[in-house]
Each structure stands twice: as structure tokens, then as C-alpha cells.
Amino acid sequence: MYRPTGIGWLCAVLLIGSAQAADAPRVAASCPGPVCLEPARFARLLDTASTPALVPPSGLQRSRERADAAVDEVRLNAWLDQLALRGTLAADEREALVRLRDAAPVIWIRHPDHPGYWAPAFAIAARANALLLRDQRLKAVVRMLEDPLALDDAFNAAQSDDDRATLIESAIERGDAAFRQRVDERIAVMAPGRLRDRLRLARARVAPDAAGEVAALVLGAETGIARAALMLAIDRGGAVLQQAAQAAASRPALGGLVVTAHRVSGGDPEQLWTWLESPELGADAARALAEDRPDLLEQVSRRYPIASPLARLRMQLAVRLSGAPDAEALISELTGLAGHRDGSKSVSAAERKR
Amino acid sequence: MRRRWLVIVAGVALWPSVICGQTEFRYVNQSTGPNQFALGFPPPIPRQSSTPLDGFRSYESLHARHQDLMLQHEFISGQVVGASRLGAPIWAYVIGDTDTDTRNAGPEPSILINGGIHAREWGTPELTTGLLEAAVAGAGDGWLWDYLIETLHFTVLPVNNIDGFRQTQRFPTQVLVGADPRFPDRWPRDGRMRRKNLRDADEMLSTYGDHLNGVDLNRNFDPFWGGDPRTSNPIDLVYRGPAPFSEPESQALLAAAELARPDRLRWYQDTHSFTQVILSVNTFNTRRNVLQTRLATTFSEFHNALSVSRHGTQRRYPNSPSQPGSGIGVTTEYFAYTYEIPSWTLEIEPQQTAAEYGGLGTEHDGFILPDSEVRRLRDDMALTHAVVAYQQSGPPSVAAVSIRDEHNAEVYDRRWTYTGPGERTLVAGANAPLVAGLPYSLEITFDKPMRWMGASGATNAPGIAVDLHPRVRLLDENDEVLLELDSSTGQWLDGSSGQSVAQWRFDRWRLDFVISPDQLPAPRGIVRLEIQCADFTGQALDANPATVVDWSDGEWSGYENSAGVPGLSGGADRSLNLRVAATAAEARRWLLADPPEPPERAALIPPDPGP
């Protein structure tokens, strides 16, 4: 049973009582909630009332008293903080959260960048909803882990692919080796497509050696999933990165991550010069050259005359990004357009169109 | 003995945090221990990729992207407008063609979008970068982006607070909790949650003495610098700095305004997160305030409908205007009062918390947009900004009217030509009488693309309902309606085969019509052509194209209504006259008699009465 301490009640009531007089908003009509607090008052209320341990879920009846409601809301928020740190919910907690899904904000505070705009101090309803959804998902995951039929259901469910993938991904993350083996068997017979690739990626995340699988995803999955696979490889390094970087090199549509993978995997620096004329990879290649090549200006001077128009632009970009003291002078020299406004428009539009 | 040494070493290591009462917390997906903020989704980590992805890019990648786009495209130029406190060059970029004039309305109008003034608001550099990327992707569309590139001087300062932004990216999951003067037990400061610049602060998280320092750049501006008393405390989250414009980043924004051609400015936005709201600045100029409200309404209604159509999710941005004469030192106040233009802070999503995306709603998680939401935000916002820029480029006007007979011979032709500051002249071409009972084709050309480009042609823009077709009527000399043409069979031309446009798709509308002898107006002869139409944001025509619409003293100038009176809402264009004959014989008689040119309506409209 929720029983605030006597001092807590006293402070809260005095606090809110005085807040009603002193915190009357300057734009009274725009204060949309029952309790509008200035920052100092709000801070004091937080100090006074943030005691989540005093809020067992059975005591979540919202008071009609403004003071009680404000204190309740602070404590509810602290209670939600605690729930967020845990996994599953007890039945009474779940019931309490269901009741909170429609909770209207009680305390409103001024927007820090616009004193006339009041915003809810807490997002009790949204948080309660999110916790319930997480709980629902966790329960489904637990069912999947314990019951192969539930896993089959998840694979065959009529939900959207993204919802199904999210559920099964969570199960993959939590499941043991046997469970993952069951998942693998189902993935193996799935039709190719986005859902299958997402699950393959989820499996790769928990597999100790997934170099081949990650590389395959980088090579063949839709760009969003392929990029995610490449990011996994970059984060993990080692053999996974080596293979993924190689695969990515043939897929410039994945963009700058391809260059990053190449760079951190210790790929051939000469490749960066080749990529300068790639629309998707050139800017990142230029940046890599700017950061990695101490002899950049010398190299650019040598390569510029024989480079394609786009590669020339990227060489200018590399020189510019290098921040070298004589960068602008070199660009002017290379382009023969010294004195141009900022040195950037040094190649004609016709030249740019390859 | 060894254990004692360990205790001493640990004590020394913890000493700074103990004396300052600060604890390092980390943002994590799910909680696994103490001193964590559990987001419920993976904490975004900035990625090294200049090309866009599902997530956030590092500052260095974004900068490389801006520079690359600038180098590759004639219509993107850039300039260093200042340097950060730590010396990083601050760049601003302009989307627009290389000249300074529009084709038929004089000097180009200008807008300025600022991003990344608060370090932790990572969505905003992505949004501003998305504007440059959308312009590149849209260029050549023969429609909205080509119109903006030709007509506007669209300035973007993508990252204002570079030092702070880099600091947050250096520590993408780490923060310090425990010493904020207002909420010591709750508010995470520095690291991922740095807001201010790095004045009197270093780049290390382990030096506790300085991590509350820095200036809130969005409190560093006149005319209301110091308007909030809390801003005097140097360790407060909203410290205003020692003087107005004291910070180099603030100076850079002023320089960006110069790059944006301040005498041509019509809209300023400072881009922030979060709370999903437009915080606009009302001044004492009520007419400016009205136009600002309209612009904000377009932003919200369009963006919401776009989000519903693309993702099935409502995303309105309510407008909350300030009280005139009060302020707290934010940049938008400076631009509103200095330039008398619509000026607002855009607080991007979420409304309250990342729980709106399934997160757990932990402390300050509204500043942490999940990776999965970034692309959507970037793409949708770019289009919304393009639409708002389109509206603020100016109200539409009739550029030309021509009528052809069934043999495709031009029988009537009028064009408005820009002749000098604020003025256009009507150039008259063919002027034969129309004959009742004969088929004609009317083409009205406007000075901007007038309709949204849907999958099957011209349509309404999401969230903004206007009459799809212009309303065309013939009036007598007392402006009484003689007859209305059935415009429902009209067609917006999109430039495809046989559908010539003037400059952009949907800047021309065609209607085949016949004036039946029954409808023939009496008295026969000279009639006025009335054209009513709104652009796709709902702005009505400038009724008198002879005076070019411009922005002056916080409102439109030269924007006349149907009666020729300048104002805020425009009206029906009645500037052109026609002749209609009952029979071909009558028309021939008129031509043989060579009657004088019918007086054009423009000459009848009373002159601008002035302020």
C-alpha cells in the first residue's frame, strides 16, 4: 500500500500550494495542465517526491488533489525508471501500466527555449505503453524459446515482416545454442528476402565466427541490411571485417562504409585513389587520403593531370580536407583558377558530367 | 600490502569525481548494471560515412559530404563564415543558381537555416545536410527543386556548434551526472549530453572541473540577451556568455546571414530537438505575425500529411508563438526583430521521449533519436522544408495568357515582363476578337509551379487542399460575372510530349472552351478576364502582376487583392481584357474598323495607396 511519509506529504502539499501562487504562469491561458511549475519548484518537487520504492503498483490510484497528483506523477516516473531496468513485469505491475496508458500529463514545465510554451514534464502514458509492449515482446520471446511450435508460429505469423523479425531477433539474442540451431533450420528453408536476411544478420551477431555469413549479406542483402552487416563487421574487426570489406568493395551502393571497412581492415591504400572517381565512394576515399597520406599534396600533384574530371574534384576535396597550410595554393595551381571566390568551383560543369 | 595500494590507486582515480559529486553514466540498450540509462534501443554511434545511412554520421563525414556536394554541383556554393572556439572552420552553403536575379521578378529572395547549435541534438545536422542532399537529388526535376534553385538563395549552416557536436560524438554513450546546479541528481551533462560550446571547457570527460562550462549559443543573442536570469550562471545549462554575440559561433551565424543577403531574407529557422513543435517569435508587427503563422501552418499540415501518407504516422508541429517584446536571447529573436521575417525554432521529434519509438523513456532520451528513425526524418524534413521555402519564395502571379483557335493560330497573347525594380510591363501580342460558337484553347502561365506532382499528374500537396483548377470567368466593366468557363476539363501541363511549359512542370494550365451564343455576354464586346488560382500551398494570386511582390517591413509588398488593394491575401487577377463577338462577321467588322486596343485592367487598378 502506498503510504508517503508524513514529511513527504507535508513538503509536497506546501510545495504545490505555494507553487499555485508563485508559479502562476506568465501566459496563464497557455498553461495547459493542472500543475505548471517553474524550474526551481520542479527541481524541489523532484527532490521531495522521487521515491519510487514508495510506489507499489497497487497504490497507483491517481488522486484528484492537484498536489497529490503531482507527487504521484513524480513517483510514477521514478517507478517507471525502475521497471525499465528490469526485464519482465509482474501481473499487478502490468495492470497498473495498462491503467497508465491513458494517463494525462499532470505536471507541465516551461520549454527551455521558449518560456511561453509549456510541455509535459513526464511521458507517463508513452512510457507505460512502451513497457507493456516490451513485456509483450519478452513474453512472446520466452514462449518461442520454450516451445518449438511457438517458434514455428512466429515464422509463419501474418504479422508484418518487420514485426516478426524484431521478435525472432530478440529470441535469437536470448536463446541458447539449441534454440539458435532450430532457428537456423527454419532460416535455411525460408524464401529469400528481407525477413530472411534480417534473421541471418541477427544470427551472425551472436555467432562467434560469422565471417562468411556477414560477407554474404554485405554482398547480396538489400542495402539497409547490407550496411548493417558491414557496420557489424567494422565493429567486430578480424576475419569478419576482412571478408566483409572484400565483399563490400564490389558494392559501391553501400556508400562510405565501404571505404571505412577497407581502411580499418588495412586494405591497399592505392585502392583509395581508384575510388576517387566513384560517385558513391569518392568523398570518403578523399577523406581517407586526407587523413592517412602524409605525402598527399605530392601524390595529388603527380596524379592530377591524368585523372578523370570527377577524380580531380575528389583530389581537390582531399587536399582541402587535409587542412594543409598550402592546400589552397595547390588547388589554385592545379586548376589554374587562382583567385576564384573560394577555390571550389574550379572545374566547369561540363567537365563534371562524366 | 598489495591490496592497500590498490585501494589508494582507486581512491586517487575516483578523487575528482568524489569531490565534484559526479558520476559517469552510460546510455545502453538494456540495463546490465548500475550507472546506466537504458534506452531500449541500441545507442546510436556516429558512423564514418559521408553518404547517408540508417543512422548518424560523424561530423567529419558530414563535412566531407558538404564539401563534396559543393565541389560537384554548380548550384551549391560554400563559404567559411567563421571559426569555432577551438578553431574549426564553420561553413555555410548556398543552394541556388549562380545569378542573383529571378527571371521575371527581380532579385532573388533568401532564406537561412541554421543547424547544430546545440551539440547533443544530433538530428539537426542530419536534417540540414539532408537539405543539401535533397537539392542535389531533386535538381533536374523540372519542378519544385529546379524552381527553388532558380528562384531562391537558400542558405544552410549545417553545424554551428562544431566543437560541442564533436564532443558529443567523442563520447556517444557517456555522460556525467551529479553536479548540474538545477537538477544535480538527474541531469546528464557533457559527453553525449553536452549542449553548449567549449568555452572554458576541454575535450576530456575525465577532467571534472570544467565539464559544466561553455556558453549556450542559443542565449547569446540580442535583443533579449540576459532576458532569462538563470542565464547568468556560467555553469548553468543555458549560460548566456559574457556579452551578446560573444562567441565565435554566434559571429559565424551573423556572417552566414550576410552570406544569405540580409536585405533579401524572408525566413529564418534555427533547428533543434526535441518536442516536435515550432517555437515562433512574434514581434509587434502583427502582419508579419499573421504571415508567420500561415507559414508554420503549412509546415505542420504538410509534414503531418506526408508522414501519414508515407509511414501511417501523424507528425504535426504545433506553432507556439512568443509574446511580443519579451525574449531570452535566442537566435530566432534576433532574426525576427532585426529583419522582420518569419523566424522560428524548429524542435524536431519526438514530442516527449524516445518511448514514442518503443524506447524505455529514460532520462533525456528525447535527444537520442534511434538510428532507425534518422533516414525518415531526414527525407521527410527535406521535402517539408522545400515546400515551406516554396511558399515563402512568394505568392504566384499570372505571367502570360494566350488563346489559340481551332487551327492553332494565336488570337490573343499577353505577357508580363520584368522591366525594373518592382515593376512589370504588359506586352501585348495578338488581339483578335473571340467568336461565340467557335472552339478555343486558353493557356494561362504562372510564375511558379502551381501543383503538386502526384503519381498520375497534377494534384494537391499532402495536407493542403486547394481547388485543383483555376476559376476563369468573364466580367463586365462593373465586375459583374457574365459567364464562367467550365474549368473542370482543364489540364495542368507537365512538360511531357505536346505539353509545353514555360519553366517548370505545372506552371501552365490549358482549357479548351467554347462560348456558346446563349452564354454570350451583353453588352457584347470588351470583357474582363478573371483568373482565380492558388499555388499548392494555398497562396492566392497577386492580382496585379504589374507590381512585383516582394518582402518589405515584415510583410508582402505589391501583393494586391481583386480590388487592387495591397495586403496579405492576394485575390483574383482581373488585369486582362478580351473582346468577344457574336459572329465571325461581327469580329471581322471590328478588325476592319481597327478599334483601339482595349484598356487593360492593370491601368484601371488604383495605384498603391502607400502605408
Side-chain angles (χ1 to χ4, degrees):
Chain A
M1 189 70 186
Y2 165 39
R3 280 198 190 283
T5 61
I7 289 178
W9 269 119
L10 184 62
C11 289
V13 170
L14 288 175
L15 180 68
I16 303 301
S18 61
Q20 288 170 22
D23 294 340
R26 274 171 259 169
V27 191
S30 66
C31 176
V35 179
C36 289
L37 296 179
E38 297 294 345
R41 300 283 185 190
F42 180 54
R44 264 184 277 167
L45 176 62
L46 290 179
D47 284 346
T48 310
S50 288
T51 316
L54 296 174
V55 189
S58 54
L60 293 175
Q61 297 298 333
R62 313 292 299 279
S63 169
R64 290 183 184 178
E65 284 288 316
R66 280 177 58 180
D68 298 352
V71 172
D72 265 4
E73 190 175 52
V74 173
R75 290 184 165 154
L76 280 173
N77 191 62
W79 179 63
L80 295 176
D81 283 343
Q82 285 198 337
L83 290 188
L85 299 178
R86 291 181 12 213
T88 51
L89 301 172
D92 57 347
E93 291 169 334
R94 209 171 294 124
E95 282 167 23
L97 290 174
V98 168
R99 289 201 300 275
L100 290 175
R101 282 193 305 192
D102 300 320
V106 176
I107 303 170
W108 294 67
I109 53 175
R110 291 185 189 279
H111 194 287
D113 288 335
H114 199 76
Y117 185 71
W118 294 89
F122 302 109
I124 300 294
R127 295 191 71 186
N129 202 42
L131 284 168
L132 283 167
L133 286 173
R134 184 183 69 162
D135 184 59
Q136 214 172 12
R137 202 163 56 235
L138 283 176
K139 279 197 290 190
V141 165
V142 169
R143 272 199 305 275
M144 241 187 281
L145 293 175
E146 292 171 350
D147 180 1
L149 289 178
L151 181 61
D152 285 338
D153 286 348
F155 270 87
N156 300 325
Q159 290 166 286
S160 77
D161 275 2
D162 281 338
D163 292 342
R164 290 161 67 194
T166 304
L167 268 184
I168 303 170
E169 281 167 350
S170 299
I172 290 170
E173 200 181 321
R174 289 171 174 76
D176 58 14
F179 174 79
R180 291 172 183 169
Q181 176 64 34
R182 289 201 295 276
V183 170
D184 288 344
E185 288 162 8
R186 285 158 179 81
I187 291 174
V189 296
M190 283 177 80
R194 178 178 163 77
L195 174 60
R196 182 168 184 262
D197 287 343
R198 272 190 67 173
L199 298 182
R200 288 169 68 197
L201 179 59
R203 278 293 288 117
R205 284 188 198 283
V206 295
D209 175 23
E213 187 71 346
V214 172
L217 287 166
V218 168
L219 205 55
E222 70 171 50
T223 52
I225 296 172
R227 280 198 197 102
L230 193 50
M231 283 190 255
L232 171 67
I234 291 168
D235 293 343
R236 196 176 280 187
V240 177
L241 175 59
Q242 292 294 333
Q243 286 195 36
Q246 270 189 340
S250 63
R251 229 182 140 182
L254 301 184
L257 289 175
V258 175
V259 178
T260 303
H262 178 82
R263 200 173 165 196
V264 296
S265 68
D268 180 6
E270 190 60 28
Q271 179 67 54
L272 297 173
W273 294 101
T274 309
W275 277 337
L276 288 180
E277 59 184 2
S278 159
E280 298 92 348
L281 308 181
D284 290 274
R287 196 185 136 213
L289 289 168
E291 292 175 359
D292 296 347
R293 295 294 300 236
D295 61 343
L296 176 72
L297 302 193
E298 183 190 325
Q299 287 286 330
V300 167
S301 298
R302 189 167 63 77
R303 294 170 187 257
Y304 195 90
I306 54 169
S308 70
L310 188 55
R312 287 182 177 187
L313 282 176
R314 260 59 184 269
M315 286 183 196
Q316 291 177 45
L317 175 62
V319 171
R320 195 182 270 274
L321 293 176
S322 73
D326 42 359
E328 288 300 325
L330 176 63
I331 290 172
S332 298
E333 184 187 320
L334 291 172
T335 60
L337 289 175
H340 191 275
R341 182 172 47 151
D342 57 28
S344 64
K345 303 294 184 187
S346 44
V347 176
S348 74
E351 264 188 291
R352 276 181 203 128
K353 290 172 184 165
R354 301 172 68 197
Chain B
M1 187 65 183
R2 191 174 174 188
R3 181 172 293 175
R4 184 178 297 169
W5 271 109
L6 279 175
V7 169
I8 292 170
V9 168
V12 170
L14 290 171
W15 172 247
S17 95
V18 170
I19 57 169
C20 298
Q22 296 167 88
T23 308
E24 184 181 311
F25 273 62
R26 280 181 187 265
Y27 282 97
V28 296
N29 184 347
Q30 303 292 340
S31 176
T32 55
N35 301 340
Q36 293 179 337
F37 292 125
L39 291 166
F41 54 86
I45 306 295
R47 294 290 174 179
Q48 305 299 333
S49 169
S50 69
T51 49
L53 37 73
D54 294 318
F56 294 97
R57 291 169 276 187
S58 69
Y59 169 73
E60 288 71 22
S61 296
L62 290 169
H63 178 57
R65 177 67 162 173
H66 306 149
Q67 295 282 307
D68 191 43
L69 296 177
M70 176 186 77
L71 282 166
Q72 284 197 60
H73 301 281
E74 287 288 346
F75 56 86
I76 295 181
S77 57
Q79 196 167 299
V80 174
V81 290
S84 71
R85 186 154 284 282
L86 297 185
I90 300 173
W91 281 77
Y93 301 88
V94 178
I95 303 166
D97 58 14
T98 50
D99 62 36
T100 57
D101 289 331
T102 61
R103 199 171 291 188
N104 206 22
E108 291 172 351
S110 164
I111 61 179
L112 174 61
I113 309 289
N114 186 41
I117 195 169
H118 284 155
R120 61 189 173 185
E121 299 166 10
W122 285 12
T124 77
E126 286 291 341
L127 185 154
T128 49
T129 302
L131 297 176
L132 299 175
E133 292 170 334
V136 168
D141 64 359
W143 181 59
L144 177 58
W145 276 106
D146 277 352
Y147 167 76
L148 295 176
I149 289 167
E150 154 72 24
T151 307
L152 263 183
H153 191 73
F154 192 140
T155 306
V156 180
L157 199 169
V159 188
N160 182 262
N161 181 6
I162 295 173
D163 298 343
F165 185 46
R166 277 177 160 158
Q167 176 75 347
T168 62
Q169 294 205 322
R170 203 173 285 123
F171 303 101
T173 61
Q174 294 159 266
V175 291
L176 293 174
V177 178
D180 178 84
R182 281 192 272 160
F183 298 93
D185 299 332
R186 300 175 68 89
W187 273 12
R189 299 280 301 267
D190 210 4
R192 176 64 181 85
M193 283 298 147
R194 171 162 283 275
R195 168 183 167 111
K196 303 192 285 185
N197 74 354
L198 284 184
R199 184 187 184 99
D200 298 328
D202 63 28
E203 297 169 276
M204 295 197 296
L205 207 57
S206 54
T207 51
Y208 292 99
D210 62 350
H211 86 266
L212 298 175
N213 292 344
V215 172
D216 181 353
L217 300 171
N218 202 30
R219 295 292 186 279
N220 195 228
F221 282 72
D222 267 341
F224 297 110
W225 181 82
D228 177 350
R230 289 172 302 168
T231 60
S232 61
N233 181 356
I235 64 168
D236 198 278
L237 191 68
V238 291
Y239 174 51
R240 65 192 178 210
F245 312 113
S246 61
E247 301 311 291
E249 293 88 353
S250 305
Q251 293 293 329
L253 182 54
L254 299 184
E258 289 300 316
L259 178 66
R261 302 174 190 156
D263 58 325
R264 305 300 304 153
L265 265 180
R266 290 184 183 179
W267 174 36
Y268 170 74
Q269 174 183 288
D270 198 14
T271 318
H272 290 249
S273 79
F274 59 97
T275 46
Q276 199 174 305
V277 63
I278 292 172
L279 304 172
S280 61
V281 178
N282 269 0
T283 66
F284 294 106
N285 184 338
T286 54
R287 296 166 75 80
R288 188 208 70 99
N289 299 344
V290 167
L291 293 170
Q292 179 175 262
T293 299
R294 283 186 198 166
L295 200 63
T297 301
T298 295
F299 189 111
S300 179
E301 292 305 309
F302 176 84
H303 192 79
N304 181 59
L306 183 73
S307 180
V308 168
S309 69
R310 285 182 170 182
H311 318 290
T313 310
Q314 294 206 348
R315 291 202 190 281
R316 279 208 166 74
Y317 278 73
N319 175 30
S320 176
S322 65
Q323 291 291 308
S326 67
I328 54 174
V330 298
T331 68
T332 50
E333 293 157 0
Y334 172 77
F335 281 91
Y337 283 89
T338 304
Y339 300 112
E340 287 288 356
I341 56 174
S343 176
W344 65 53
T345 298
L346 174 72
E347 297 280 2
I348 60 172
E349 58 184 274
Q351 284 180 310
Q352 287 185 265
T353 161
E356 292 161 35
Y357 315 112
L360 296 171
T362 194
E363 192 66 46
H364 281 55
D365 73 343
F367 291 111
I368 305 178
L369 199 66
D371 280 335
S372 55
E373 308 296 327
V374 178
R375 181 182 295 276
R376 173 186 57 74
L377 172 90
R378 194 169 45 216
D379 293 350
D380 291 359
M381 275 295 175
L383 195 52
T384 299
H385 282 69
V387 167
V388 174
Y390 164 91
Q391 176 167 330
Q392 199 60 1
S393 72
S397 68
V398 171
V401 173
S402 80
I403 300 175
R404 292 175 179 274
D405 66 15
E406 59 187 321
H407 307 296
N408 203 31
E410 196 165 59
V411 296
Y412 183 84
D413 176 47
R414 295 289 185 277
R415 291 169 196 283
W416 290 101
T417 303
Y418 184 73
T419 49
E423 291 181 1
R424 292 192 193 95
T425 300
L426 188 65
V427 177
N431 192 28
L434 307 190
V435 178
L438 297 182
Y440 292 98
S441 180
L442 164 72
E443 283 191 352
I444 304 171
T445 302
F446 301 89
D447 62 355
K448 64 196 297 192
M450 294 293 280
R451 287 295 167 268
W452 193 249
M453 189 157 60
S456 55
T459 185
N460 275 338
I464 304 168
V466 298
D467 291 336
L468 187 60
H469 296 292
R471 189 174 192 187
V472 182
R473 304 193 294 186
L474 301 182
L475 312 179
D476 68 14
E477 59 186 6
N478 298 316
D479 288 345
E480 293 297 322
V481 179
L482 298 170
L483 70 89
E484 179 166 350
L485 303 184
D486 176 11
S487 61
S488 64
T489 57
Q491 185 184 16
W492 287 102
L493 308 186
D494 71 355
S496 60
S497 58
Q499 295 194 348
S500 71
V501 297
Q503 286 181 266
W504 303 286
R505 290 177 176 184
F506 311 134
D507 72 355
R508 182 171 285 165
W509 181 77
R510 179 189 291 161
L511 175 70
D512 295 332
F513 69 98
V514 176
I515 300 174
S516 83
D518 304 340
Q519 293 175 298
L520 193 61
R524 297 161 189 176
I526 296 174
V527 295
R528 286 178 186 144
L529 181 65
E530 183 191 74
I531 302 165
Q532 288 184 54
C533 191
D535 69 17
F536 67 66
T537 60
Q539 288 189 116
L541 289 174
D542 168 22
N544 181 12
T547 57
V548 176
V549 176
D550 204 347
W551 186 268
S552 177
D553 297 327
E555 61 173 308
W556 298 120
S557 60
Y559 187 28
E560 289 83 8
N561 65 14
S562 309
V565 179
L568 305 183
S569 299
D573 183 319
R574 297 171 181 163
S575 61
L576 303 175
N577 295 331
L578 297 169
R579 288 182 300 175
V580 182
T583 63
E586 185 178 57
R588 271 195 297 276
R589 275 202 305 278
W590 288 356
L591 284 173
L592 287 172
D594 193 23
E597 187 74 13
E600 299 299 349
R601 180 65 178 167
L604 302 177
I605 292 177
D608 185 343

